[in-house]
């Protein structure tokens, strides 16, 4: 029996495509998306309530629907994008909409076609010949989605093609170490529409100067290669480290439902957001309806044309789901691992299996809590176990590791690790330092850029009527006769409840804290509303000018915390269609439209969504080259006066009998097992 | 052969006491401190240089010295504090100073004496009788160091005694669940000098009203007890999780020297700072001369007298070293563990062994880096291993877990976890919510407070001449004809080098970054000075009024980043003697004095120290009760253009052969081993 939050099965994908196909007559639809259309929340609420109560009556299941995107070649529009909804209970299309002027995401298959078209073009080959590249080297073309800069008609898709040199021989040579100064623009229908040479010094601009490749750029593979076959032998000092769970893991999984240490939730997955989490409860109390990474934006700070076109919406343009890695046991994940597979579709609408896109495993997390009674010297200590739901995506050069961590103290953390390879551009060997990039290898500039993530938090804190509260800690005044603060040391917290949709900023200097509370449920002991607080990641917001296309397209990058009224299908803070978007589709515009049309509603004590923007201003270090050690960003959600005490207090104290640690023996000779067991 | 950074041995402690004793004639010295006096840096630099070069000549060892503090009962001064330096090579006192008006730290032995004196006092017993406490309950007295509030002469030590009720029977009942409204002040010579009743509502003040204990406060042990013998059975769902290192750990340890994955450093330990790290190198390049937690301050925000006297310097007043826990294998530490012992002394100057005060072990830390070539689908992934040096301290009610994490990418993180039990005060059952505390149990208020830590970073980034650079990222202007930024997306970084000693603030909105650089060593590829950057913990600074004693005593709490010129013995940002200090001894005053006396020196390209203030404004949640789940704070130090690439690139790719993970089998029946191996 499918659960309403379960992703489409392969059979459902197959069937939805069959239902859609006849609606385009003689036109062959290119299937871009065949995914679950999640049911309206108003239908899910009673369903989940019955489920939570373990009611005998089986709850009424909402209609099972698929959301479908196809591109069709019409006479009047070469690449017409349609969005359809398919009722899978009745096998019929219940909505069909022509998304005029919108574009579907970019994928590896299309990128390969663009690369091939580029390399097949005689003018490109002429340019490559002028470069006079080293014998045996290979030219690689990396197509990027075009970030709107106002210079071209955006009604058709346009790809920016960046050229690199790969040293010959091994197919895993790091071609980002040899960016070429060649650039091309390719139309949706694979025509090369423009070719030019890139600037290679701060004062240079796009040009037609046919410079040769500077042979001095060829450098030692130890500086720029990451593949073990292309590197000196690795260090051998790291001894094996294994996680053993002799009684198996503490989680149990039925289908997409995960149960672990009083937590229950459902694992979702779709082509765009990748991993999503649904109906998250602790000890049978509802906390969150849905958690998801909603968008990410990676704008580059190099001001020279055409680099302002480098600004990727890695979810909207590329998809965290379809770019998810096939995770490997013992490599990506340690311990006892449950892998979740997912299904996508090919252009014919056939299901395509994506194995191991999410892993689920436990980790030891050091100490959860400890106290030693100094009078008795009795110590009680509990170790912290966490449950990790991890997915890793590859978007061209970059990798992102996304993980939700569930803790025994009822907190959730969302961890992002950025890794992979920097996007590089050519720089003259003799050009000096530029203020918007870092030289990471001879002739290679890694331009400054930002990574801005939007975490969408759809709360259900003890129910669906929630409020956002902003709390600050401030010193009591001194010398105010109305205030008792005789020694000038008193401080208090002040709260205000947010009434309107909008964006807010962080301020650690005021200890500004954002809480999601349920004003209808008071904690009987603290006498305050039950809630969860956001532990934000303090990050610089979007640097681009507010009038720039970057800013208009990524409105969520303006503020760190947004609150909106819940609306079905309102999942994306930069809009549903981000490919070559030109602004006005984001979270701020949506709020402004509702306000202008008089549809604004209070967000107090209602079904709200909280969006947290965070990320990094990534001014590369050379230590990020050629593959960057992960840069970690962590966001947390923690109960605040929600329970009646420490939710992890009932975790059993740690014992050596269970944990079987080992004492290091300094006298053991090197290289032999050097530990003795102590129970 | 002792290393100059090695802590004193038991034999040296014994000997130093013997050398000191005759210097006090017929007065019997009460030995408070017998610890290593670290050698002057100017002597250590050539020593370490020879050591690093593995020179054949054995480097000349600086004189081995002990620093000694004793309290002596003189005719003219009841508790005279003396500080002495003992040359241990010649067994003679080389310095002796009477520290007039200063006080030694407080310790458990003295606290027991204060408690006993309190309880032996008839007036106290009269007061206790008026409380009419439940049959079988026990009164517990918790003495605290008196935080200067201007109300008393500070020339003698004075202890604040807080009273609690412990439910009878079990000695580990959580007495913080029953704070009483009784309070006493006890003199250094154990006389009870004042007794009064505490305010129990916002508008109440210190009084003499002899109210009875409110019997309605007695509550279920499941709400307030943490000891397993006093609680319902713990959860049984958490299955064992073991770390197996079949070839032993990757570290090797000789004496106090740790070598691990290209890192080398020395472990120090003293009564006050606890764990210290010395001569930290990566791949034989010097990074830091010394890292230490230098101070912490915990001021409470309850404005009502006598609570402004609750403000603890947990290092200066209590000592992270002498309060360090005896760590237990399998409980505090998982895997293969090396424990370091330490030596302290008793009041007679006899050495006292403190076993297992520091543990050293490895942890798996998820993925270090990964890249998948999307063209070949070849993934290369390296797991991150970290080395942890951990110590746990108990300061009355609270616990702190301090850990330095060393990573294979040459970064260091300092992690603080706050846990233990909240300090509580009595609150009338029927009193409403107060704005400076949280009600955590019936009649129990947990007042707001701050934890401010000072991490002392004594850098040696490729040498001892270092500079502090402040970098910010800012948008390029638009419409400025002199600046090329046609699309409004460009941004740059701007750096300034700090010239003078002083304090600086964080600003994430500008991506303000503090770098410690060596201006004399340029990175040949990036063409910028080699450096390390601080990854700060964004925290609210001290809330108390700048004119308050709290602010005057904890000057480091005013700014997040301080830089000073290195001086031997300048280790403590709130001064050497914090017990009942009244201000003027802190980092800001020291800088101001140097400036006023014309001794100010540039901190540019010189031997500097960087101090990072961070912490939490801890407005308790009920989830922090009765023992709080750890609250984590993390500070990092990361190379920035120091190396020629990712320092962890040579970590061998992960393999299942070594890591031996296991697939979860959802079909296994519950409770039985449910995993199958896959190689």
């Amino acid at each position: 029996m499918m659960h309403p939050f379960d992703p489409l099965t392969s059979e459902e994908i197959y069937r939805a495509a069959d239902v859609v196909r006849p609606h385009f007559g003689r036109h062959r639809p290119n299937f871009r998306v065949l995914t679950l259309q999640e049911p309206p929340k108003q239908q899910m609420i009673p369903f989940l309530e019955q489920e939570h109560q373990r009611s005998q009556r089986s709850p009424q299941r909402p209609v099972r629907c698929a959301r479908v995107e196809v591109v069709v070649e019409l006479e009047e529009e070469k690449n017409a994008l349609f969005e359809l909804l398919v009722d899978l209970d009745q096998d019929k299309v219940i909505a069909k909409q022509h998304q005029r002027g919108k574009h579907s995401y970019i994928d590896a298959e299309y990128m390969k076609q663009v690369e091939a078209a580029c390399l097949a073009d005689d003018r490109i080959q002429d340019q490559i010949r002028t470069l006079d590249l080293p014998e045996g080297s290979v030219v690689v073309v990396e197509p990027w989605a075009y970030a709107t800069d106002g210079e071209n008609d955006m009604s058709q898709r346009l790809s920016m093609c960046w050229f690199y040199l790969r040293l010959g021989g091994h197919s895993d040579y790091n071609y980002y170490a040899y960016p070429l100064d060649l650039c091309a623009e390719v139309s949706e229908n694979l025509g090369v529409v423009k070719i030019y040479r890139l600037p290679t010094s701060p004062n240079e601009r796009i040009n037609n100067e046919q410079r040769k490749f500077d042979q001095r750029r060829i450098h030692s593979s130890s500086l720029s290669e990451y593949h073990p076959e292309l590197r000196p032998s690795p260090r051998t000092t790291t001894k094996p480290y294994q996680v053993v769970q002799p009684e198996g893991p503490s989680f149990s999984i039925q289908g997409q439902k995960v149960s672990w240490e009083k937590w229950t939730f459902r694992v979702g997955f779709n082509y765009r957001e990748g991993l999503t989490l649904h109906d998250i409860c602790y000890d049978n109390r509802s906390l969150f309806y849905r958690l998801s990474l909603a968008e990410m934006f990676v704008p580059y700070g190099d001001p020279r044309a055409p680099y302002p076109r480098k600004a990727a919406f890695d979810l909207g343009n590329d998809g965290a789901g379809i770019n998810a890695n096939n995770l490997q046991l013992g490599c990506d994940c340690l311990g006892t691992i449950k892998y979740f597979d997912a299904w996508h579709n090919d252009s014919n609408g056939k299901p395509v299996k994506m194995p191991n896109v999410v892993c689920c495993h436990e980790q030891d997390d050091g100490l959860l809590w400890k106290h030693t009674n100094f009078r008795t010297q009795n110590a009680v200590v509990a170790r912290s176990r966490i449950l990790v739901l991890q997915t890793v995506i590859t978007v061209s050069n970059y990798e992102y590791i996304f993980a939700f961590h569930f803790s025994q103290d009822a907190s959730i953390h969302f961890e992002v690790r950025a890794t992979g390879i920097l996007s590089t551009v050519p720089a003259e060997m003799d050009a000096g330092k530029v203020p918007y990039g870092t030289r990471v290898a001879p002739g290679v500039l890694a331009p400054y850029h930002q990574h801005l993530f939007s975490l969408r938090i759809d709360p259900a804190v003890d129910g669906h009527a929630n409020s956002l509260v902003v709390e600050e800690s401030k010193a009591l005044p001194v010398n105010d006769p109305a205030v008792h603060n005789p020694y000038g040391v008193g401080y208090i917290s002040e709260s205000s409840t947010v009434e309107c949709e909008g964006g807010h900023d962080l301020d650690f200097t005021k200890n500004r804290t954002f809480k999601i509370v349920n004003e209808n449920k008071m904690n009987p002991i603290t006498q305050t509303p039950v809630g969860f607080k956001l532990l934000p990641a303090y990050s610089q917001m979007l640097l681009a000018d507010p009038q720039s296309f970057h800013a208009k397209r990524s409105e969520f990058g303006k503020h760190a915390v947004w609150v909106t009224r819940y609306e079905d299908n309102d999942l994306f803070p930069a809009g549903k269609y981000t490919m070559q978007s030109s602004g006005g589709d984001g979270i701020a515009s949506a709020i402004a439209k509702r306000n202008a049309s008089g549809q604004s509603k209070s967000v107090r004590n209602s079904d709200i969504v909280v969006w947290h923007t965070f990320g990094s201003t990534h001014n590369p270090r050379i230590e990020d080259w050629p593959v960057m050690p992960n840069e970690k960003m962590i966001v947390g959600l923690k109960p605040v006066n929600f329970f009646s005490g420490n939710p992890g207090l009932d975790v059993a104290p740690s014992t050596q009998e269970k944990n079987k640690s080992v004492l290091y023996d300094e006298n053991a000779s090197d290289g032999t097992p050097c530990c003795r067991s102590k129970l």
Side-chain angles (χ1 to χ4, degrees), chain A residues 29-219:
Chain A
N30 169 357
F31 284 93
R32 303 291 296 155
V33 174
L34 283 155
T35 194
L36 175 70
Q37 169 72 17
E38 291 173 25
K41 198 191 265 191
Q42 280 313 313
Q43 294 178 26
M44 283 308 296
I45 288 174
F47 179 92
L48 294 175
E49 275 170 6
Q50 282 200 37
E51 214 181 30
H52 293 174
Q53 288 157 13
R54 298 188 183 86
S55 160
Q56 290 303 320
R57 293 182 302 153
S58 70
Q60 192 184 344
R61 213 198 61 176
V63 173
R64 183 87 174 155
C65 278
R67 194 173 77 76
V68 184
E69 284 181 26
V70 298
V71 170
V72 182
E73 199 164 322
L74 302 178
E75 286 68 22
E76 68 278 16
E77 190 182 352
K78 276 276 180 195
N79 294 283
L81 178 66
F82 288 85
E83 184 179 4
L84 303 96
L85 292 181
V86 176
D87 176 334
L88 288 168
D89 292 345
Q90 301 190 50
D91 283 349
K92 70 174 189 191
V93 169
I94 53 174
K96 177 183 174 188
Q97 200 174 1
H98 186 165
Q99 298 287 6
R100 284 177 214 278
K102 306 293 187 189
H103 307 294
S104 184
Y105 63 88
I106 191 169
D107 60 16
E109 199 181 327
Y110 181 70
M111 283 165 71
K112 276 180 199 156
Q113 293 170 10
V114 172
E115 177 174 37
C118 242
L119 291 175
D121 188 283
D122 287 343
R123 294 161 300 164
I124 298 268
Q125 287 298 334
D126 285 346
Q127 289 287 337
I128 290 174
R129 264 186 294 278
T130 68
L131 286 164
D132 191 19
L133 296 175
E135 190 119 3
S137 62
V138 177
V139 171
V140 169
V141 178
E142 195 112 319
W144 276 46
Y146 181 115
T148 309
D149 63 353
E151 297 295 340
N152 277 290
D153 168 27
M154 295 283 91
S155 69
Q156 290 292 310
R157 281 203 304 187
L158 206 56
S159 298
M160 293 301 296
C161 288
W162 314 104
F163 287 69
Y164 298 89
L165 175 156
R166 198 182 71 216
L167 297 175
H170 199 289
S171 59
D172 284 307
Y173 267 114
N174 175 17
Y175 52 85
Y176 301 107
Y178 297 102
L180 302 175
D181 70 350
L182 189 54
C183 187
E185 300 173 17
V186 174
S187 71
E188 172 125 34
N189 296 313
L190 304 176
V192 176
V193 290
K194 269 189 205 156
I195 304 172
Y196 43 83
R197 304 299 276 264
L198 293 169
T200 57
S201 72
N203 295 319
E204 205 184 355
R205 305 291 170 246
I206 285 174
N207 61 73
N208 295 308
E209 204 187 317
Q210 299 190 341
R211 271 171 308 202
K212 291 184 180 180
F213 178 82
D214 188 336
Q215 302 287 336
R216 294 175 299 163
R217 290 179 53 188
I218 302 292
H219 56 272

Side-chain angles (χ1 to χ4, degrees), chain A residues 2 31 84 178 211 252 273 350 372 402 518 579 614 662:
Chain A
M2 300 297 298
F31 284 93
L84 303 96
Y178 297 102
R211 271 171 308 202
S252 77
E273 298 159 285
K350 297 273 184 305
T372 302
F402 300 117
N518 186 328
M579 275 292 281
F614 65 98
V662 166

Side-chain angles (χ1 to χ4, degrees), chain A residues 647-663:
Chain A
L649 194 63
D650 64 339
V651 173
S654 298
T655 63
Q656 167 65 355
E657 188 193 349
K658 282 197 175 172
N659 294 331
K660 297 197 190 307
S661 289
V662 166
L663 272 183

Side-chain angles (χ1 to χ4, degrees), chain A residues 4 297 324 347 406 457:
Chain A
F297 187 49
S347 60
F406 292 85
I457 303 161

